[in-house]
Amino acid sequence: MRKYSTLLFSALFVSASLFAQEAPKKERQQGHTDQNKFRQLKDVLATPNDQRTASGAPGHAYTQQKVDYVMSLRLDEATDRLYGDEDITYHNNSKDHLEYLWLQLDQNMRAPDSKSPLAESKGANGFQTPDKFVSENMDKPKAFGFNIEAVKYADGRDLPHTINRTMMRINLPKPLAPGEIFKFKIKWNYLINNSVEDGGRSGFESFPDGNKNYTIAQFFPRLCVYNNVEGWQNMQFWGRSEWALEFGDYDVKITVPADHILEATGELQNEKEVLTKEQRKRFEKARKSYKNPVFIVTQVEAEANEKKGTTKTKTWHFKANQVRDFAFASSRKYIWDAMAVNINGKDVMAISLYPKEGNPLWEEHSTRVVANTLEEYSKMTFDYPYSKAISVHAKRQGMEYPMICFNYGRPNPDGTYSDRVKNGMIGVITHEVGHNFFPMIVNSDERQWTWMDEGLNSFVEILAELDYDPNFNTGNLPKDIVRYMSLDQNKLSPIMSQGDYVHNFGPNAYTKPAAGLYMLRQTIMGPELFDYAFRTYSKRWMFKHPTPADFFRTMEDASGMDLDWFWRGWFYTTDYTDIGIKEVKPLYLTNKPNEKTKKLQQQYPSYFAQLGKLVYLTTDKENADKSEVEAYIKGLPSDKKASLKDIPNYMYQVEFEKPGGLVMPIIVELTYADGTKKRETFPAQIWKKDERKVFRVFTSSQEIKSIVVDPDLETADIDTSNNSWPKQTTNKFDAFKNKAKN
């Protein structure tokens, strides 16, 4: 450390004292907290610990619970009632002593005493006259919701419990210690809703001939997640925000009418008992067919079957290991086809079930879309670990469960369909099959953070859809979020909002995070860095419960990029992108300095290091004298001349402005006099010192005719009227919108 003389120290002290005395005479600026867009997220993200590390990986002490279910189910087609007995084994793998267990009773959202309808704000537009209320409500059965017949210990004794709407608390006789298990039984039944008439993620569709298509999910009491982030995730189910569930093993027997075709989560255990010899033979053929689906049940056979009807029953037996949920579909109307898809040396079955009402659209596309989705998602994440993925046609559903999903997309009665219907079906199948990866395997908390499954899934969906059809309009690209980002920001919600209270749920939970990740991959990080980090996150959190912090930290840790500015802006605020060109000034060379040239010299020291100490830039054409500059250079020593031999003929100072709140890279396209183009991207960090305006100088051997910011609409810029020089009367985004309308 340098030592100062007493005299110098005294002088400094006196100067400081004088300054302190004079300061009150001057007007002081108010202090401020750091609002720089590039400040770190450490004040927002949870503190790392031995379960969740600062790198975004699970820690050495990470634990999670396990829940196993043995169920016996019976579907009564005559009454549309589902009966169930379940034996539950709860494994306490945590370090905590648990005083009680919490289970989810999702069907109680439809119970007569449900609070969900009362939680909706309805004014005059939502008012019902007495006659309308009676016709829409009083004539319908009031027995929806779980009928819990019994809750018992494993030995048959009654087990104390408390039901709080869509949650049920099991009151344990003593705290469940770490490493212990608790076994108990629940007997229940409930009336299945008509999902076409009444809505819902589960239910049945009734056809004019009396046949039904049952797509059944959220049908049994199931354990909530317990972890070190939320404790018990026992937020009530209001109908929108989905589920947080534990992994476990399932052993399920389902009794249905004997002429039904049924598929479900897990491996079928009794093929010979429920399938004909011909069906088994066809399925074996499907297991070796990698190009085209093979029919296990043809449309002719399905049409003949749906005319029969029987009172006899058949029991299908499934087992599934390491899944977080269970669902099934059953109907005598099903056409059934399947094909194999090779995932890194392992064969997985892509399967579809659909009534004739889905054809010809479904037999043309459904199973092929399932196969494509498994391939493309596996490339971006990890090899699909289950043995099958099933797409089931349901008229008004789009829902996902382990290995099985329900999807809409129905042609007209004459079999014709529009591109919109076809693309809607391809999109929903890709999306719902994709949910096998997020959140069925990378098991985020859907009740809390909807975007962690819907947004990440919608992002990978873009890549899968474009692989299936390069001209597919995904609807999730940055340009597709502009309309939403242009709305009144005070009426929007940040992505990082709990799902039940967000405004504009679709754009907020699906499109905005998907578009943001696409932008991160294509524009900010580049595919190579992004893909490695995204796969790292996916593999780290397979069959585990990640949080947003785990995702953010992993993406930075595995890529070596500081992305806090992006997470903070895109995920934690409702700010928008608006970057433009404020002014373009031609620059000239001179050796006649004045106040303007001195300021430019301060702004562009790197240019002067190249041009030499006596060469200046000026925006004043009258002050330019290139001949004198060239004469000066001619007189320089040869070693100095070498660095100055290519003095540009044209130079332009461009001032970029940022009316929007988000920082983003500046993508610039230059068009030269001969029609050639050049593109350059400046990273978002260009705004780190001044987020209102920045300057760049562009040089060329020929005249620059135009400069455009974000020419391909990569950054969701909401106003492109300031993106061009010279200013264009019709901006590119308006042209894009007009083209889309036509």
Side-chain angles (χ1 to χ4, degrees), residues 210-232:
N211 282 305
K212 295 170 184 174
N213 177 17
Y214 292 92
T215 49
I216 307 298
Q218 298 102 52
F219 63 86
F220 61 102
R222 51 204 175 140
L223 267 295
C224 301
V225 165
Y226 177 83
N227 62 23
N228 73 323
V229 178
E230 296 284 341
W232 283 104

PDB file of all heavy atoms in Angstrom, residues 210-232:
ATOM      1  N   GLY A 210     -76.164 -43.244 -28.523  1.00  0.00           N
ATOM      2  CA  GLY A 210     -76.091 -43.682 -27.130  1.00  0.00           C
ATOM      3  C   GLY A 210     -74.715 -44.131 -26.688  1.00  0.00           C
ATOM      4  O   GLY A 210     -74.474 -44.313 -25.485  1.00  0.00           O
ATOM      5  N   ASN A 211     -73.772 -44.324 -27.613  1.00  0.00           N
ATOM      6  CA  ASN A 211     -72.410 -44.693 -27.245  1.00  0.00           C
ATOM      7  C   ASN A 211     -71.678 -43.506 -26.633  1.00  0.00           C
ATOM      8  O   ASN A 211     -72.042 -42.337 -26.868  1.00  0.00           O
ATOM      9  CB  ASN A 211     -71.645 -45.200 -28.466  1.00  0.00           C
ATOM     10  CG  ASN A 211     -72.027 -46.623 -28.822  1.00  0.00           C
ATOM     11  OD1 ASN A 211     -71.945 -47.515 -27.985  1.00  0.00           O
ATOM     12  ND2 ASN A 211     -72.476 -46.837 -30.060  1.00  0.00           N
ATOM     13  N   LYS A 212     -70.633 -43.822 -25.887  1.00  0.00           N
ATOM     14  CA  LYS A 212     -69.891 -42.782 -25.187  1.00  0.00           C
ATOM     15  C   LYS A 212     -68.392 -42.999 -25.331  1.00  0.00           C
ATOM     16  O   LYS A 212     -67.930 -44.126 -25.519  1.00  0.00           O
ATOM     17  CB  LYS A 212     -70.275 -42.765 -23.703  1.00  0.00           C
ATOM     18  CG  LYS A 212     -71.727 -42.373 -23.467  1.00  0.00           C
ATOM     19  CD  LYS A 212     -72.151 -42.595 -22.031  1.00  0.00           C
ATOM     20  CE  LYS A 212     -73.637 -42.278 -21.881  1.00  0.00           C
ATOM     21  NZ  LYS A 212     -74.149 -42.599 -20.537  1.00  0.00           N
ATOM     22  N   ASN A 213     -67.688 -41.901 -25.244  1.00  0.00           N
ATOM     23  CA  ASN A 213     -66.227 -41.915 -25.234  1.00  0.00           C
ATOM     24  C   ASN A 213     -65.779 -41.387 -23.871  1.00  0.00           C
ATOM     25  O   ASN A 213     -65.958 -40.205 -23.567  1.00  0.00           O
ATOM     26  CB  ASN A 213     -65.687 -41.034 -26.359  1.00  0.00           C
ATOM     27  CG  ASN A 213     -64.168 -40.957 -26.357  1.00  0.00           C
ATOM     28  OD1 ASN A 213     -63.490 -41.770 -25.742  1.00  0.00           O
ATOM     29  ND2 ASN A 213     -63.631 -39.953 -27.042  1.00  0.00           N
ATOM     30  N   TYR A 214     -65.211 -42.254 -23.037  1.00  0.00           N
ATOM     31  CA  TYR A 214     -64.781 -41.874 -21.691  1.00  0.00           C
ATOM     32  C   TYR A 214     -63.288 -41.535 -21.705  1.00  0.00           C
ATOM     33  O   TYR A 214     -62.460 -42.362 -22.101  1.00  0.00           O
ATOM     34  CB  TYR A 214     -65.028 -43.013 -20.705  1.00  0.00           C
ATOM     35  CG  TYR A 214     -66.481 -43.306 -20.434  1.00  0.00           C
ATOM     36  CD1 TYR A 214     -67.160 -44.264 -21.193  1.00  0.00           C
ATOM     37  CD2 TYR A 214     -67.180 -42.632 -19.443  1.00  0.00           C
ATOM     38  CE1 TYR A 214     -68.493 -44.545 -20.954  1.00  0.00           C
ATOM     39  CE2 TYR A 214     -68.514 -42.907 -19.195  1.00  0.00           C
ATOM     40  CZ  TYR A 214     -69.165 -43.859 -19.953  1.00  0.00           C
ATOM     41  OH  TYR A 214     -70.494 -44.138 -19.709  1.00  0.00           O
ATOM     42  N   THR A 215     -62.968 -40.330 -21.305  1.00  0.00           N
ATOM     43  CA  THR A 215     -61.566 -39.918 -21.124  1.00  0.00           C
ATOM     44  C   THR A 215     -61.441 -39.490 -19.663  1.00  0.00           C
ATOM     45  O   THR A 215     -61.863 -38.399 -19.284  1.00  0.00           O
ATOM     46  CB  THR A 215     -61.204 -38.770 -22.078  1.00  0.00           C
ATOM     47  OG1 THR A 215     -62.206 -37.741 -22.001  1.00  0.00           O
ATOM     48  CG2 THR A 215     -61.114 -39.264 -23.510  1.00  0.00           C
ATOM     49  N   ILE A 216     -60.847 -40.353 -18.853  1.00  0.00           N
ATOM     50  CA  ILE A 216     -60.958 -40.241 -17.399  1.00  0.00           C
ATOM     51  C   ILE A 216     -59.608 -39.890 -16.763  1.00  0.00           C
ATOM     52  O   ILE A 216     -58.608 -40.593 -16.961  1.00  0.00           O
ATOM     53  CB  ILE A 216     -61.488 -41.553 -16.787  1.00  0.00           C
ATOM     54  CG1 ILE A 216     -62.803 -41.961 -17.478  1.00  0.00           C
ATOM     55  CG2 ILE A 216     -61.667 -41.414 -15.294  1.00  0.00           C
ATOM     56  CD1 ILE A 216     -63.932 -40.965 -17.316  1.00  0.00           C
ATOM     57  N   ALA A 217     -59.615 -38.812 -15.979  1.00  0.00           N
ATOM     58  CA  ALA A 217     -58.411 -38.364 -15.283  1.00  0.00           C
ATOM     59  C   ALA A 217     -58.812 -37.581 -14.037  1.00  0.00           C
ATOM     60  O   ALA A 217     -59.984 -37.238 -13.862  1.00  0.00           O
ATOM     61  CB  ALA A 217     -57.564 -37.498 -16.192  1.00  0.00           C
ATOM     62  N   GLN A 218     -57.853 -37.305 -13.178  1.00  0.00           N
ATOM     63  CA  GLN A 218     -58.108 -36.682 -11.865  1.00  0.00           C
ATOM     64  C   GLN A 218     -59.263 -37.392 -11.163  1.00  0.00           C
ATOM     65  O   GLN A 218     -60.116 -36.757 -10.550  1.00  0.00           O
ATOM     66  CB  GLN A 218     -58.435 -35.188 -12.004  1.00  0.00           C
ATOM     67  CG  GLN A 218     -57.341 -34.342 -12.600  1.00  0.00           C
ATOM     68  CD  GLN A 218     -57.616 -34.016 -14.043  1.00  0.00           C
ATOM     69  OE1 GLN A 218     -58.683 -33.532 -14.398  1.00  0.00           O
ATOM     70  NE2 GLN A 218     -56.652 -34.294 -14.896  1.00  0.00           N
ATOM     71  N   PHE A 219     -59.269 -38.717 -11.272  1.00  0.00           N
ATOM     72  CA  PHE A 219     -60.447 -39.472 -10.846  1.00  0.00           C
ATOM     73  C   PHE A 219     -60.284 -40.123  -9.483  1.00  0.00           C
ATOM     74  O   PHE A 219     -61.215 -40.765  -9.006  1.00  0.00           O
ATOM     75  CB  PHE A 219     -60.771 -40.555 -11.890  1.00  0.00           C
ATOM     76  CG  PHE A 219     -59.682 -41.586 -12.058  1.00  0.00           C
ATOM     77  CD1 PHE A 219     -59.632 -42.692 -11.222  1.00  0.00           C
ATOM     78  CD2 PHE A 219     -58.722 -41.449 -13.046  1.00  0.00           C
ATOM     79  CE1 PHE A 219     -58.642 -43.648 -11.377  1.00  0.00           C
ATOM     80  CE2 PHE A 219     -57.727 -42.402 -13.201  1.00  0.00           C
ATOM     81  CZ  PHE A 219     -57.675 -43.502 -12.362  1.00  0.00           C
ATOM     82  N   PHE A 220     -59.116 -39.982  -8.847  1.00  0.00           N
ATOM     83  CA  PHE A 220     -58.909 -40.664  -7.565  1.00  0.00           C
ATOM     84  C   PHE A 220     -58.223 -39.725  -6.582  1.00  0.00           C
ATOM     85  O   PHE A 220     -57.450 -38.838  -6.989  1.00  0.00           O
ATOM     86  CB  PHE A 220     -58.065 -41.936  -7.762  1.00  0.00           C
ATOM     87  CG  PHE A 220     -56.683 -41.692  -8.327  1.00  0.00           C
ATOM     88  CD1 PHE A 220     -55.562 -41.699  -7.506  1.00  0.00           C
ATOM     89  CD2 PHE A 220     -56.490 -41.479  -9.693  1.00  0.00           C
ATOM     90  CE1 PHE A 220     -54.290 -41.487  -8.022  1.00  0.00           C
ATOM     91  CE2 PHE A 220     -55.229 -41.274 -10.219  1.00  0.00           C
ATOM     92  CZ  PHE A 220     -54.122 -41.270  -9.383  1.00  0.00           C
ATOM     93  N   PRO A 221     -58.473 -39.854  -5.308  1.00  0.00           N
ATOM     94  CA  PRO A 221     -57.726 -39.067  -4.316  1.00  0.00           C
ATOM     95  C   PRO A 221     -56.240 -39.394  -4.414  1.00  0.00           C
ATOM     96  O   PRO A 221     -55.852 -40.561  -4.382  1.00  0.00           O
ATOM     97  CB  PRO A 221     -58.322 -39.537  -2.987  1.00  0.00           C
ATOM     98  CG  PRO A 221     -59.679 -40.061  -3.328  1.00  0.00           C
ATOM     99  CD  PRO A 221     -59.521 -40.691  -4.678  1.00  0.00           C
ATOM    100  N   ARG A 222     -55.409 -38.373  -4.537  1.00  0.00           N
ATOM    101  CA  ARG A 222     -53.975 -38.595  -4.743  1.00  0.00           C
ATOM    102  C   ARG A 222     -53.172 -37.595  -3.919  1.00  0.00           C
ATOM    103  O   ARG A 222     -53.606 -36.468  -3.667  1.00  0.00           O
ATOM    104  CB  ARG A 222     -53.627 -38.500  -6.230  1.00  0.00           C
ATOM    105  CG  ARG A 222     -54.133 -37.259  -6.873  1.00  0.00           C
ATOM    106  CD  ARG A 222     -54.323 -37.409  -8.377  1.00  0.00           C
ATOM    107  NE  ARG A 222     -54.932 -36.185  -8.891  1.00  0.00           N
ATOM    108  CZ  ARG A 222     -54.593 -35.606 -10.026  1.00  0.00           C
ATOM    109  NH1 ARG A 222     -53.679 -36.136 -10.797  1.00  0.00           N
ATOM    110  NH2 ARG A 222     -55.165 -34.493 -10.400  1.00  0.00           N
ATOM    111  N   LEU A 223     -52.003 -38.003  -3.509  1.00  0.00           N
ATOM    112  CA  LEU A 223     -51.204 -37.234  -2.567  1.00  0.00           C
ATOM    113  C   LEU A 223     -50.666 -35.939  -3.164  1.00  0.00           C
ATOM    114  O   LEU A 223     -50.256 -35.886  -4.320  1.00  0.00           O
ATOM    115  CB  LEU A 223     -50.036 -38.068  -2.063  1.00  0.00           C
ATOM    116  CG  LEU A 223     -50.252 -38.862  -0.760  1.00  0.00           C
ATOM    117  CD1 LEU A 223     -50.459 -37.948   0.433  1.00  0.00           C
ATOM    118  CD2 LEU A 223     -51.390 -39.852  -0.901  1.00  0.00           C
ATOM    119  N   CYS A 224     -50.640 -34.920  -2.331  1.00  0.00           N
ATOM    120  CA  CYS A 224     -49.980 -33.665  -2.677  1.00  0.00           C
ATOM    121  C   CYS A 224     -48.462 -33.826  -2.527  1.00  0.00           C
ATOM    122  O   CYS A 224     -47.979 -34.755  -1.887  1.00  0.00           O
ATOM    123  CB  CYS A 224     -50.439 -32.546  -1.744  1.00  0.00           C
ATOM    124  SG  CYS A 224     -52.211 -32.219  -1.765  1.00  0.00           S
ATOM    125  N   VAL A 225     -47.724 -32.885  -3.097  1.00  0.00           N
ATOM    126  CA  VAL A 225     -46.270 -32.864  -2.954  1.00  0.00           C
ATOM    127  C   VAL A 225     -45.903 -32.241  -1.606  1.00  0.00           C
ATOM    128  O   VAL A 225     -46.493 -31.238  -1.180  1.00  0.00           O
ATOM    129  CB  VAL A 225     -45.610 -32.069  -4.094  1.00  0.00           C
ATOM    130  CG1 VAL A 225     -44.152 -31.733  -3.765  1.00  0.00           C
ATOM    131  CG2 VAL A 225     -45.692 -32.847  -5.398  1.00  0.00           C
ATOM    132  N   TYR A 226     -44.927 -32.862  -0.943  1.00  0.00           N
ATOM    133  CA  TYR A 226     -44.310 -32.261   0.238  1.00  0.00           C
ATOM    134  C   TYR A 226     -42.824 -32.103  -0.056  1.00  0.00           C
ATOM    135  O   TYR A 226     -42.150 -33.071  -0.415  1.00  0.00           O
ATOM    136  CB  TYR A 226     -44.497 -33.144   1.472  1.00  0.00           C
ATOM    137  CG  TYR A 226     -43.815 -32.578   2.706  1.00  0.00           C
ATOM    138  CD1 TYR A 226     -44.451 -31.608   3.477  1.00  0.00           C
ATOM    139  CD2 TYR A 226     -42.531 -32.969   3.063  1.00  0.00           C
ATOM    140  CE1 TYR A 226     -43.832 -31.061   4.589  1.00  0.00           C
ATOM    141  CE2 TYR A 226     -41.896 -32.427   4.170  1.00  0.00           C
ATOM    142  CZ  TYR A 226     -42.550 -31.473   4.932  1.00  0.00           C
ATOM    143  OH  TYR A 226     -41.926 -30.921   6.028  1.00  0.00           O
ATOM    144  N   ASN A 227     -42.303 -30.854   0.071  1.00  0.00           N
ATOM    145  CA  ASN A 227     -40.872 -30.641  -0.170  1.00  0.00           C
ATOM    146  C   ASN A 227     -40.360 -29.466   0.650  1.00  0.00           C
ATOM    147  O   ASN A 227     -41.098 -28.871   1.441  1.00  0.00           O
ATOM    148  CB  ASN A 227     -40.586 -30.449  -1.667  1.00  0.00           C
ATOM    149  CG  ASN A 227     -41.280 -29.225  -2.249  1.00  0.00           C
ATOM    150  OD1 ASN A 227     -41.632 -28.280  -1.542  1.00  0.00           O
ATOM    151  ND2 ASN A 227     -41.480 -29.226  -3.558  1.00  0.00           N
ATOM    152  N   ASN A 228     -39.095 -29.123   0.439  1.00  0.00           N
ATOM    153  CA  ASN A 228     -38.473 -28.061   1.233  1.00  0.00           C
ATOM    154  C   ASN A 228     -38.714 -26.686   0.645  1.00  0.00           C
ATOM    155  O   ASN A 228     -38.176 -25.701   1.137  1.00  0.00           O
ATOM    156  CB  ASN A 228     -36.961 -28.306   1.357  1.00  0.00           C
ATOM    157  CG  ASN A 228     -36.218 -28.031   0.048  1.00  0.00           C
ATOM    158  OD1 ASN A 228     -36.725 -28.307  -1.032  1.00  0.00           O
ATOM    159  ND2 ASN A 228     -35.016 -27.488   0.149  1.00  0.00           N
ATOM    160  N   VAL A 229     -39.515 -26.594  -0.410  1.00  0.00           N
ATOM    161  CA  VAL A 229     -39.807 -25.311  -1.031  1.00  0.00           C
ATOM    162  C   VAL A 229     -41.160 -24.777  -0.566  1.00  0.00           C
ATOM    163  O   VAL A 229     -41.284 -23.628  -0.149  1.00  0.00           O
ATOM    164  CB  VAL A 229     -39.792 -25.441  -2.571  1.00  0.00           C
ATOM    165  CG1 VAL A 229     -40.159 -24.109  -3.227  1.00  0.00           C
ATOM    166  CG2 VAL A 229     -38.426 -25.901  -3.052  1.00  0.00           C
ATOM    167  N   GLU A 230     -42.194 -25.623  -0.628  1.00  0.00           N
ATOM    168  CA  GLU A 230     -43.549 -25.212  -0.274  1.00  0.00           C
ATOM    169  C   GLU A 230     -44.037 -25.827   1.033  1.00  0.00           C
ATOM    170  O   GLU A 230     -45.069 -25.426   1.547  1.00  0.00           O
ATOM    171  CB  GLU A 230     -44.528 -25.623  -1.385  1.00  0.00           C
ATOM    172  CG  GLU A 230     -44.292 -24.950  -2.724  1.00  0.00           C
ATOM    173  CD  GLU A 230     -44.771 -23.518  -2.745  1.00  0.00           C
ATOM    174  OE1 GLU A 230     -45.594 -23.152  -1.876  1.00  0.00           O
ATOM    175  OE2 GLU A 230     -44.314 -22.753  -3.598  1.00  0.00           O
ATOM    176  N   GLY A 231     -43.321 -26.816   1.558  1.00  0.00           N
ATOM    177  CA  GLY A 231     -43.941 -27.656   2.577  1.00  0.00           C
ATOM    178  C   GLY A 231     -44.952 -28.522   1.852  1.00  0.00           C
ATOM    179  O   GLY A 231     -44.642 -29.165   0.850  1.00  0.00           O
ATOM    180  N   TRP A 232     -46.198 -28.541   2.320  1.00  0.00           N
ATOM    181  CA  TRP A 232     -47.272 -29.215   1.580  1.00  0.00           C
ATOM    182  C   TRP A 232     -47.810 -28.279   0.504  1.00  0.00           C
ATOM    183  O   TRP A 232     -48.189 -27.144   0.798  1.00  0.00           O
ATOM    184  CB  TRP A 232     -48.406 -29.621   2.517  1.00  0.00           C
ATOM    185  CG  TRP A 232     -48.110 -30.842   3.333  1.00  0.00           C
ATOM    186  CD1 TRP A 232     -47.774 -30.895   4.649  1.00  0.00           C
ATOM    187  CD2 TRP A 232     -48.107 -32.197   2.863  1.00  0.00           C
ATOM    188  NE1 TRP A 232     -47.561 -32.187   5.044  1.00  0.00           N
ATOM    189  CE2 TRP A 232     -47.761 -33.023   3.967  1.00  0.00           C
ATOM    190  CE3 TRP A 232     -48.358 -32.800   1.633  1.00  0.00           C
ATOM    191  CZ2 TRP A 232     -47.668 -34.402   3.867  1.00  0.00           C
ATOM    192  CZ3 TRP A 232     -48.266 -34.169   1.533  1.00  0.00           C
ATOM    193  CH2 TRP A 232     -47.927 -34.966   2.639  1.00  0.00           C
TER     194      TRP A 232
END
